[in-house]
């Protein structure tokens, strides 16, 4: 009976937290600021969330592309079809690895930073003092970070896929000697813009939305102590990763599931 | 001059979780004066400021500031009312990513459309008032604790508020910084005609500058009046707080189980 009650309480707190995060999202996105005020804030966040994440995205994309090239060549050459390696690399990256790995890296690199920054602003009463100055921190602090995340992740995912394909080409064509014409030709004829590229973009939009929302909310809702901030940062990475992987399955089933 | 109180609290009840913080607090804060709210730590003095600023809502009772009932205000009206309030937080709460100058300029940039050279003049005036015009280019991390509070003070008077609330301004300050803050609070009050509310447990400093003081304990006001009236207050609890006796109506021991039980000496050998 006690266990049942504890389970109920857990359920209630999860639902309450979901409700709070929903209201938080609406509050942050409701007001559209004057462009002269909002735009510089957004630019600053785009830089710290997006541009500064470029390095890890480019390096990871390159290595993942190269690994795909090696593994793909090993498997495909068994069937004598190593010419299809370009198509395999491109489809894997554009449909799956681009959006998913980018979102996971984003949660670790930028999401945790967002949580820690906002949590610390809360702990040092910066958010409170903003409120007392008649400035809504949801609009001033939270909204630009949310938008920056929503915009950055799809762009980063695109960069990831492009660099990954280039990395795969380095290994497949330059090193292992697959004919360059069939590498690019097979890719061009088999990757469909709507079915593959656009679906990948939709995925990265969804992941960007979820990851940023989780990161910013965890920071805003954290217990304002050092232990609370560290717990919130951990939650950001764990929840974001689980959400991305779970949603990826759902989205894949919807997009590519009808045989 | 308008003599009606600037802030009126009536029968304010406030609970945090299952703990009752305020149990029917009524208080008038006079206009243009310095009012000190004193009390032991953990009695909800800061909570009182947050109720006045509308960051928290009381469970019942009314909080009227400048003629407006704060808990019932809509978001927009509340934010407009807050432009008339300044608050000095215990930590200073400066924005760590902005320089001293930009911190003080922040409220001006957000709430006014003044041209840049006028913002500069105002910011330098405010910094001059707290004696830190020369520190304008420093970052908050480079400031000492006392300087941080002075910059925060300059920021909270940037919009020329009617009310300024100080949350524990003296805590953790060296004697010189404390003297500077005492002087600043007094000077700002008289030169700008501000209504000042000071929350503190530093008795001598607070009593030396306030016109009116009240002592909060156990969720209610146990004594109020001018500093002279308080010093002669008949209540033992008030006297214990003002003189800092370790034991008295506020007990030295946190409520605990029977001592015999904790050391399990009772019943042995029965």
């Amino acid at each position: 009976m006690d266990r049942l009650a504890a389970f109920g309480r857990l359920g209630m707190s999860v639902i309450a937290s979901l409700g709070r995060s929903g209201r938080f999202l609406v509050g942050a996105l409701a007001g559209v600021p004057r462009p002269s005020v909002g735009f510089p804030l957004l630019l600053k966040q785009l830089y710290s969330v997006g541009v500064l994440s470029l390095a890890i995205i480019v390096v990871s994309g390159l290595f993942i592309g190269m690994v795909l090239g090696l593994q793909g060549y090993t498997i495909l050459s068994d069937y004598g079809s190593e010419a299809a390696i370009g198509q395999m690399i491109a489809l894997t990256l554009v449909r799956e690895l681009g959006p998913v790995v980018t979102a996971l890296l984003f949660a670790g690199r930028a999401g945790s930073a967002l949580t820690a920054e906002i949590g610390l602003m809360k702990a040092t009463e910066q958010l409170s003092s903003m409120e007392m100055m008649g400035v809504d921190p949801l609009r001033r602090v939270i909204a630009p970070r949310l938008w920056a995340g929503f915009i950055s992740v799809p762009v980063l995912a695109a960069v990831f896929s492009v660099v990954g394909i280039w990395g795969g080409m380095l290994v497949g064509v330059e090193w292992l000697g697959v004919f360059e014409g069939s590498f690019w030709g097979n890719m061009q004829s088999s990757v469909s813009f709507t079915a593959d590229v656009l679906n990948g973009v939709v995925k990265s939009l969804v992941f960007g939305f979820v990851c940023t929302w989780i990161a910013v909310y965890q920071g805003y809702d954290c217990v304002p102590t050092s232990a609370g901030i560290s717990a919130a940062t951990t939650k950001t990475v764990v929840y974001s990763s689980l959400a991305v992987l779970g949603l990826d399955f759902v989205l894949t089933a919807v997009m590519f599931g009808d045989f | 001059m308008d003599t009606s109180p600037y802030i009126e609290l009536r029968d304010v009840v406030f609970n945090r979780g299952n703990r009752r913080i305020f149990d029917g607090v009524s208080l008038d804060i006079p206009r243009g004066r310095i009012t000190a709210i004193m009390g032991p730590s953990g009695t909800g003095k800061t909570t009182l400021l947050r109720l006045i600023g509308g960051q928290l809502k009381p469970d019942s009772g009314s909080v009227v500031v400048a003629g407006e009932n704060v808990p019932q205000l809509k978001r927009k009206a509340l934010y407009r009312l807050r432009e008339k309030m300044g608050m000095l937080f215990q930590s200073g709460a400066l924005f760590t990513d902005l320089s001293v100058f930009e911190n003080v300029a922040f409220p001006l940039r957000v709430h006014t459309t003044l041209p840049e050279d006028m913002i500069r003049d105002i910011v330098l005036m405010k910094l001059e008032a707290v004696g830190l015009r020369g520190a304008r280019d420093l970052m908050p991390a480079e400031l000492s604790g006392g300087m941080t509070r002075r910059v925060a003070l300059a920021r909270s008077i940037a919009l020329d508020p009617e009310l300024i609330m100080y949350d524990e301004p003296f805590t953790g300050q060296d004697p010189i910084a404390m003297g500077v803050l005492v002087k600043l609070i007094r000077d700002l009050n008289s030169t700008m005609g501000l209504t000042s509310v000071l929350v503190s447990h530093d008795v001598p400093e607070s009593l030396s500058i306030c016109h009116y003081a009240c002592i909060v304990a156990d969720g209610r006001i146990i004594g109020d009046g001018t500093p002279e009236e308080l010093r002669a207050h008949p209540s033992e609890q008030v006297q214990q707080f003002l003189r800092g006796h370790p034991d008295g109506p506020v007990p030295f021991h946190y409520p605990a189980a029977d001592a015999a039980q904790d050391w399990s000496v009772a019943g042995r050998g029965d």
Side-chain angles (χ1 to χ4, degrees), chain B residues 104-134:
Chain B
V104 181
F106 182 86
L108 294 166
R109 292 196 201 283
V110 178
H111 290 302
T112 70
T113 49
L114 294 175
E116 188 56 37
D117 52 346
M118 198 175 274
I119 287 184
R120 182 175 173 278
D121 290 350
I122 297 176
V123 170
L124 292 185
M125 265 163 59
K126 301 296 174 188
L127 282 173
E128 174 76 21
V130 298
L132 290 177
R133 188 162 48 85

Side-chain angles (χ1 to χ4, degrees), chain B residues 182-195:
Chain B
V182 167
K183 172 178 148 42
L184 276 175
I185 293 172
R186 192 191 288 135
D187 289 355
L188 284 176
N189 189 75
S190 46
T191 55
M192 296 177 66
L194 289 165
T195 302

Side-chain angles (χ1 to χ4, degrees), chain A residues 34 37 44 117 121 123-137 139-140 145, chain B residues 50 53 55 75 79 82 85 87 89-91 93-97 106-107 110-111 113 155 165:
Chain A
R34 277 179 290 157
V37 178
K44 197 174 163 197
E117 186 189 18
M121 286 175 93
T124 53
E125 296 178 312
Q126 293 183 43
L127 296 183
S128 261
S129 75
M130 218 175 251
E131 246 175 46
M132 287 306 299
M133 277 184 246
V135 179
D136 189 345
R139 297 190 182 169
R140 178 86 194 185
R145 285 168 171 76
Chain B
R50 290 187 189 267
Q55 290 187 306
R75 190 182 161 280
Y79 275 97
R82 282 180 183 160
M85 301 180 183
M87 179 148 171
F89 284 84
Q90 198 170 340
S91 62
L94 295 180
F95 303 131
T96 40
D97 55 337
F106 182 86
V110 178
H111 290 302
T113 49
R155 185 178 66 178
M165 296 186 274

Side-chain angles (χ1 to χ4, degrees), chain B residues 217-231:
Chain B
D218 306 331
R220 54 198 180 80
I221 290 172
I222 57 169
D224 63 340
T226 62
E228 292 72 38
E229 285 169 358
L230 271 183
R231 286 198 185 96

Side-chain angles (χ1 to χ4, degrees), chain A residues 39-63:
Chain A
F39 198 64
L41 291 174
L42 177 64
L43 270 189
K44 197 174 163 197
Q45 291 310 318
L46 275 177
Y47 177 76
S48 66
V49 166
V51 176
L52 292 182
S53 302
L54 265 179
I56 187 172
I57 293 293
V58 168
V59 173
S60 315
L62 182 69
F63 278 106

